[in-house]
Amino acid sequence: MPNTISSTWQFPSGSEYGGPAAQAAAEQYTDMGTAPVAAELGVAPTPIREANPVAETPASPTPEMQTQYYTNTGDAIPTDRSVAVLDAMQRTVNAFDAETETAAQPAPTPEVPQDHNHDRAALERMKFYGPTLETMRDSAVGA
Amino acid sequence: MRKFLQKVATLITGDEPKARSQTSRARFTRRDLIRMESRIGGKLFGPVPKGHRREFFCLDRYTWVWYEEWVDPATHKRVSTTTRYEVHDNGVLKVQQGQPYRFVEGQELTNLVWAMHLYYEEVARQIYGYDPATGKPMALHAR
């Protein structure tokens, strides 16, 4: 026995090693982390999703499929009222998504204002130098 | 002994004694000071070409002047150009003879504010003995 086999592994009674029964057993236990064993037995690992097709939600389910889904999952079959509530919730989510996408777009570049104040910081510095120098001059002349 | 007397005078009058350089400046007029400043200002833009004369100075609280004079190689006559920069609340207006008034912007504005900054630093230190960073007399500041 390879040491990759789970300690819980047991062949169904009466099965033959590597025979059809073993393959069926391997398929049955693919959800037990025994995929390497299935490969060793010559059985391609089966995705868990395919092993339980009921759990999948088709893109456009038929009424029969929906009924089957709710029966298998045990969820409550939606009524018209609950469907309406869900639809309203979905519309709210869609609106939120649309708003978020709009907000994420870069803002348009503003035009340079006509009063040429695009470099306000530089202008403020310039307004500082002149008066300060004037004060120094006044101080020097009056000294 | 001199420091002791200065300290006594400070305690009596409440004023710090004036530095020697400040005392010696008392004979300068405002025009003299601007002339001295313009010598420093003319060197801020790099070497002056041979035969050129360049002055750059702060005329008053809101006016800066760039004067350039040279000999026209074609006519061998002296020509000059005077540019006045007026610092307004909404920008710096550039005034040249025979040219339409316009606001300084872009790289020219960056260069101008940098020139003003250097001018302020050099003039404050070299002529008035002020520390441009603190705005206080360097003689007192170092004490």
Side-chain angles (χ1 to χ4, degrees):
Chain A
M1 251 325 187
N3 57 10
T4 53
I5 294 178
S6 167
S7 60
T8 59
W9 171 267
Q10 283 186 339
F11 279 113
S13 62
S15 64
E16 297 178 9
Y17 186 83
Q23 290 185 11
E27 288 180 5
Q28 182 182 352
Y29 288 99
T30 50
D31 58 342
M32 293 176 63
T34 56
V37 177
E40 186 183 338
L41 296 176
V43 180
T46 307
I48 295 174
R49 283 171 52 197
E50 290 184 12
N52 186 14
V54 181
E56 285 191 277
T57 305
S60 302
T62 60
E64 293 76 16
M65 292 168 74
Q66 288 188 46
T67 304
Q68 184 66 31
Y69 172 83
Y70 290 112
T71 303
N72 284 305
T73 58
D75 291 345
I77 297 176
T79 60
D80 290 345
R81 177 174 170 76
S82 65
V83 168
V85 170
L86 286 171
D87 286 348
M89 288 174 66
Q90 189 60 49
R91 282 196 297 273
T92 304
V93 170
N94 291 343
F96 176 78
D97 288 345
E99 189 178 339
T100 307
E101 285 178 8
T102 304
Q105 290 174 354
T109 305
E111 293 181 3
V112 176
Q114 288 301 308
D115 65 349
H116 296 266
N117 63 352
H118 58 281
D119 201 335
R120 180 60 58 183
L123 185 59
E124 290 303 316
R125 286 167 63 189
M126 289 175 168
K127 286 162 73 176
F128 162 79
Y129 297 136
T132 307
L133 287 165
E134 275 290 287
T135 304
M136 291 181 187
R137 283 176 192 160
D138 292 343
S139 174
V141 171
Chain B
M1 184 64 178
R2 188 180 171 202
K3 281 189 176 178
F4 172 75
L5 291 175
Q6 284 180 348
K7 197 75 178 173
V8 171
T10 303
L11 290 171
I12 294 171
T13 62
D15 293 326
E16 291 284 346
K18 290 182 173 59
R20 181 186 295 272
S21 59
Q22 286 180 308
T23 308
S24 62
R25 277 202 311 267
R27 58 192 169 88
F28 292 125
T29 64
R30 184 182 183 78
R31 185 182 292 269
D32 293 332
L33 293 170
I34 292 179
R35 194 177 296 122
M36 290 161 64
E37 290 182 23
S38 73
R39 282 199 206 107
I40 293 176
K43 297 173 184 171
L44 296 177
F45 303 92
V48 181
K50 190 178 179 182
H52 278 235
R53 180 182 173 189
R54 180 182 294 161
E55 292 176 352
F56 179 71
F57 57 91
C58 174
L59 180 66
D60 56 36
R61 296 169 70 87
Y62 303 111
T63 311
W64 294 69
V65 175
W66 182 354
Y67 175 82
E68 189 98 12
E69 183 185 287
W70 69 98
V71 176
D72 186 348
T75 61
H76 297 285
K77 289 183 178 178
R78 294 201 79 81
V79 288
S80 65
T81 176
T82 303
T83 306
R84 199 168 76 239
Y85 299 98
E86 297 178 359
V87 181
H88 293 265
D89 282 338
N90 58 341
V92 179
L93 199 60
K94 184 177 182 179
V95 182
Q96 281 182 312
Q97 191 175 7
Q99 300 287 329
Y101 292 13
R102 69 172 181 84
F103 281 100
V104 182
E105 45 191 1
Q107 189 60 44
E108 188 180 6
L109 182 66
T110 305
N111 294 343
L112 182 61
V113 73
W114 183 240
M116 289 179 177
H117 176 74
L118 290 176
Y119 180 96
Y120 167 73
E121 289 212 324
E122 294 299 313
V123 165
R125 262 199 213 98
Q126 295 184 31
I127 297 181
Y128 300 108
Y130 276 74
D131 183 345
T134 63
K136 293 178 180 177
M138 286 196 295
L140 298 179
H141 187 61
R143 206 170 280 149

